[in-house]
């Protein structure tokens, strides 16, 4: 009888000790299963074709009437993006998601006429990094969610839906935001930045870059996703980076991707693409490596600023592949212990 009682007491003691010991998550009373489950969940997070297509079919729908800045259509786009960020645990960086500004659209001004200022806003969310020191540095990921509104009529259609330009890049930034908000694998903090008024002269990104500079944001790098909805020809790198030789950004991303996802495109220099997209204001104001990544190379899509730039023209398999190939590239860069991405001396 005494032996049975002793065995029971030992069993109770062992059980009590196991209940009190700290698990892998570092909290008393846990056995580490919660941490293991979290790690398993992180491994299961992927960017899916269904998610991309769902966002595209809304953002490039006729309901949004081409998403011109200052119109009801872009307001609908903004609400959709804000809800997406909120639902996926991406917090506002400022007091709310919107970064407001006003500007004059010089391109639309008529001689002798005083144009009415246009009100626009960027959308800015943040995913805090998990490293006590590195989280104070920011990786900026973005794309412009506005478009031109209406275009030249074709078969009764005048809505320039802007699927490739740049709902595709907007969705890329949104999907990367969702991925890192769910996995929490980023040591540095990430800013998800969607700009309006790009089509009116980079007004939105210029305003936000200036605001970041005034507020002393410690930005490390910036990537602008611009027209990634269609694949390039076989034998070419999947994407290219504007201003390729201005920094070691592309080789660094490719190192972590394990392949040449981002290549050099000679026409990017010829067309001065580095200066024509939303990366440029961040380079100009913050002095950081800031580039646009694109898969549109002027030979693989005929509908730039055209009413046929629609959701059904996008290659969702390509978009899904590109985004998932970019994840290890982004992860490696944002988790490196040192700032290995640097501007090249000119």
């Amino acid at each position: 009888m005494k032996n049975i009682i002793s065995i029971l007491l030992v069993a109770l003691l062992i059980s009590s000790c196991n209940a009190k010991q700290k698990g892998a998550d570092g909290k008393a009373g846990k056995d580490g299963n919660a941490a293991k489950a979290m790690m398993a969940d992180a491994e299961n997070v992927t960017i899916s074709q269904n998610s991309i297509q769902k966002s595209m079919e809304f953002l490039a729908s006729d309901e949004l009437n081409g998403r011109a800045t200052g119109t009801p259509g872009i307001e609908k786009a903004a609400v959709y993006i804000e809800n997406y960020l909120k639902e996926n645990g991406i917090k506002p960086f400022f007091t709310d998601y919107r970064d407001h500004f006003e500007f004059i659209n010089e391109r639309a001004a008529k001689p002798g006429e005083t144009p009415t200022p246009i009100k626009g806003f960027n959308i800015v969310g943040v995913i805090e990094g998990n490293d006590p020191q590195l989280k104070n540095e920011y990786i900026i990921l973005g794309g412009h969610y506005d478009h031109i509104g209406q275009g030249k009529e074709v078969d009764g259609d005048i809505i320039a839906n802007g699927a490739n330009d740049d709902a595709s890049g907007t969705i890329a930034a949104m999907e990367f935001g969702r991925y890192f908000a769910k996995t929490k694998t980023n040591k540095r903090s990430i800013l998800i930045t969607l700009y309006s008024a790009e089509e009116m002269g980079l007004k939105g990104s210029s305003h936000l870059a200036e605001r970041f500079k005034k507020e002393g944001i410690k930005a490390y790098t910036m990537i602008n996703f611009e027209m990634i909805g269609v694949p390039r020809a076989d034998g070419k790198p999947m994407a290219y980076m504007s201003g390729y030789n201005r920094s070691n950004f592309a080789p660094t991303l490719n190192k972590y991707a394990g392949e040449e996802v981002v290549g050099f495109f000679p026409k990017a220099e010829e067309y001065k693409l580095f200066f024509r997209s939303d990366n440029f204001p961040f380079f100009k104001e913050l002095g950081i490596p800031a580039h646009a990544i694109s898969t549109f190379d002027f030979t693989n899509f005929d509908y730039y600023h055209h009413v046929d730039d629609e959701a059904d023209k996008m290659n969702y398999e390509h978009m899904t592949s590109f985004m998932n190939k970019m994840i290890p590239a982004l992860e490696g860069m944002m988790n490196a212990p040192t700032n290995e991405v640097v501007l090249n001396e000119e």
Side-chain angles (χ1 to χ4, degrees):
M1 187 70 174
K2 288 182 179 179
N3 288 338
I4 294 173
I5 292 172
S6 297
I7 292 169
L8 289 172
L9 287 173
V10 170
L12 287 170
L13 182 61
I14 292 172
S15 175
S16 175
C17 289
N18 283 342
K20 290 179 181 178
Q21 75 179 19
K22 290 185 178 181
D25 54 6
K27 294 183 179 179
K30 302 287 185 180
D31 63 2
N33 287 338
K36 291 177 182 177
M38 185 180 293
M39 290 173 65
D41 288 343
E43 291 175 358
N44 291 331
V45 176
T46 58
I47 293 176
S48 73
Q49 182 171 319
N50 286 341
S51 178
I52 294 168
Q53 189 164 349
K54 178 184 176 183
S55 292
M56 180 64 76
E57 288 177 348
F58 180 77
L59 292 175
S61 66
D62 284 356
E63 180 184 345
L64 274 60
N65 202 35
R67 306 190 311 274
T69 301
T71 67
I74 200 170
E75 172 65 24
K76 292 179 181 179
V79 170
Y80 179 89
I81 295 167
E82 289 170 320
N83 287 338
Y84 180 98
L85 299 184
K86 185 176 181 180
E87 289 167 5
N88 287 289
I90 302 168
K91 298 178 181 179
F93 182 67
F94 301 114
T95 54
D96 58 30
Y97 288 111
R98 301 192 181 193
D99 165 49
H100 294 271
F101 59 94
E102 283 191 12
F103 67 100
I104 300 295
N105 184 12
E106 296 91 348
R107 298 178 180 180
K110 297 179 181 179
E113 182 178 276
T114 302
T116 303
I118 297 174
K119 294 183 178 181
F121 50 86
N122 305 304
I123 300 172
V124 187
V126 63
I127 302 120
E128 186 177 30
N130 61 35
D131 183 273
Q133 281 75 45
L134 293 178
K135 71 178 183 180
N136 298 314
E137 297 178 5
Y138 291 91
I139 307 294
I140 304 170
L141 304 179
H144 71 92
Y145 72 104
D146 70 311
H147 198 231
I148 62 172
Q150 297 183 348
K152 183 179 179 181
E153 182 177 344
V154 177
D155 297 329
D157 184 7
I158 61 170
I159 299 174
N161 301 81
N164 196 35
D165 185 17
D166 186 32
S168 65
T170 295
I171 293 166
M174 291 165 59
E175 289 287 339
F176 291 132
R178 182 187 68 85
Y179 175 86
F180 287 109
K182 296 294 184 185
T183 62
K184 304 186 188 304
T185 54
N186 54 298
K187 292 184 178 182
R188 289 177 174 83
S189 295
I190 304 168
L191 292 169
I192 303 301
T193 57
L194 293 317
Y195 323 114
S196 64
E198 188 270 358
E199 300 289 0
M200 297 175 177
L202 311 183
K203 301 298 186 184
S205 54
S206 295
H207 177 269
L208 185 58
E210 290 171 6
R211 183 172 182 179
F212 282 167
K213 183 178 181 179
K214 288 177 183 177
E215 298 191 9
I217 300 301
K218 192 177 181 181
Y220 171 29
T221 60
M222 186 273 179
I223 299 177
N224 172 47
F225 296 97
E226 179 74 74
M227 293 188 281
I228 54 95
V230 292
R232 303 183 75 203
D234 290 342
K236 295 182 178 179
M238 178 175 268
Y240 65 87
M241 178 173 276
S242 68
Y244 186 96
N245 292 318
R246 289 177 174 268
S247 76
N248 65 338
F249 212 147
T252 303
L253 291 176
N254 291 333
K255 175 181 69 174
Y256 290 116
E259 61 180 288
E260 190 183 23
V261 177
V262 182
F264 174 72
F265 179 46
K267 285 189 179 297
E269 287 193 0
E270 179 184 338
Y271 296 158
K272 301 188 184 301
L273 299 184
F274 181 78
F275 305 97
R276 293 172 55 186
S277 196
D278 289 306
N279 58 285
F280 180 64
F282 295 94
F283 167 78
K284 178 184 175 184
E285 297 296 334
L286 303 178
I288 60 173
H291 303 261
I293 292 180
S294 181
T295 69
F296 165 69
D297 62 10
F298 303 89
T299 66
N300 56 351
F301 192 66
D302 296 329
Y303 304 114
Y304 173 70
H305 284 190
H306 192 286
V307 298
D308 286 333
D309 183 5
E310 303 214 40
D312 63 3
K313 301 289 194 304
M314 298 297 95
N315 186 316
Y316 295 105
E317 184 177 350
H318 154 75
M319 292 178 69
T320 306
S321 175
F322 167 74
M323 292 182 206
N324 281 303
K325 284 177 182 289
M326 281 296 297
I327 285 172
L330 293 172
E331 237 166 14
M333 177 267 296
M334 63 181 56
N335 292 339
T338 61
N339 290 1
E340 57 186 343
V341 179
V342 294
L343 291 170
N344 293 330
E345 294 183 7
E346 294 186 16

